[in-house]
Amino acid sequence: GGYAQYIATVPTDLVARPHTMDHMQAAGLPLAALTAWQALFNAANLQPKQTILIHAAAGGVGHIAVQLAKWKGAMVAGTAAARNERFLRELGVDYIINYDESRFEEVVKNVDVVLDGVGGEIQDRSWDVLKPRGILVSIRGRPDEEQAAARGLRTQYVSVESNSSQLRAIADLAATNQLKVHVDATFPLGDVREAHQVSMTGHV
């Protein structure tokens, strides 16, 4: 009946844990990596030698997006706090923008793609860095499509969806050490409320 049907459908959403990752690292992979994958490749159709600006590049989705963009052969600029500059350099970010010292739109121009994981004012200012027909992809709030069209730009909002084939490709990259997960902190299950509050600070 219904239970048997449920059991039959579950494996389509399951992928074996990459042997290069422990359970803790693997737990941090699917949501962040699928979000980054779908933003870069489904929405933006990122191509080799294109330029992408990734906001919050040291964040959960951001640091995965950096690695996927570099794997694709793109040139990557990323915004982050000063404390994360070394981390981003190790990930291969080509141009790091300390958002406490510089306004990104004054130092970055003519990019093909902006990946916005921040929203609000950052999203509003991001239009100015895109080249004609460039695309702003947001995972934090729906961009203004009319504003994009008026500027000759494109935009898309991404809400992550389960996709076993994409997850398998992601796991393969992790298994060959082309994709790594940085775990910022761990919490016991009893502290799930505290964990959620930390995640909502936007500085994980």
Side-chain angles (χ1 to χ4, degrees):
Y3 179 74
Q5 185 179 15
Y6 173 76
I7 292 298
T9 60
V10 168
T12 62
D13 292 329
L14 297 179
V15 174
R17 173 174 59 87
H19 69 277
T20 54
M21 290 184 163
D22 59 27
H23 291 288
M24 182 174 64
Q25 293 170 317
L29 183 65
L31 182 62
L34 281 172
T35 302
W37 184 284
Q38 291 167 16
L40 296 186
F41 305 138
N42 291 29
N45 190 27
L46 184 69
Q47 296 298 310
K49 298 185 179 180
Q50 285 190 325
T51 302
I52 180 171
L53 170 62
I54 299 175
H55 289 304
V61 173
H63 88 288
I64 299 293
V66 165
Q67 295 173 77
L68 291 177
K70 294 299 296 183
W71 168 72
K72 189 68 174 180
M75 184 75 68
V76 178
T79 62
R83 66 181 180 277
N84 292 316
E85 287 187 19
R86 180 177 178 181
F87 175 54
L88 292 185
R89 201 170 292 114
E90 291 172 352
L91 291 179
V93 174
D94 299 288
Y95 192 81
I96 301 169
I97 304 160
N98 178 346
Y99 57 61
D100 290 321
E101 295 182 353
S102 303
R103 290 179 66 86
F104 64 85
E105 68 271 32
E106 295 177 356
V107 294
V108 176
K109 298 291 183 184
N110 295 317
V111 304
D112 298 283
V113 180
V114 171
L115 175 56
D116 172 33
V118 182
E121 177 199 0
I122 298 299
Q123 186 177 106
D124 294 338
R125 289 161 48 198
S126 292
W127 301 114
D128 293 333
V129 307
L130 286 161
K131 64 175 54 174
R133 295 300 300 158
I135 184 168
L136 188 156
V137 179
S138 175
I139 59 173
R140 287 290 297 270
R142 293 186 179 276
D144 188 330
E145 295 183 4
E146 291 185 1
Q147 185 174 174
R151 293 170 174 260
L153 302 171
R154 297 170 295 141
T155 187
Q156 189 166 334
Y157 171 73
V158 170
S159 179
V160 66
E161 297 180 354
S162 177
N163 187 302
S164 58
S165 63
Q166 292 174 358
L167 189 57
R168 191 169 296 109
I170 288 164
D172 288 345
L173 289 175
T176 54
N177 289 311
Q178 297 179 81
L179 185 61
K180 297 180 180 180
V181 174
H182 175 75
V183 178
D184 187 73
T186 61
F187 297 82
L189 187 58
D191 293 341
V192 65
R193 180 175 180 173
E194 180 184 352
H196 180 70
Q197 290 173 338
V198 170
S199 73
M200 293 301 289
T201 65
H203 295 287
V204 175

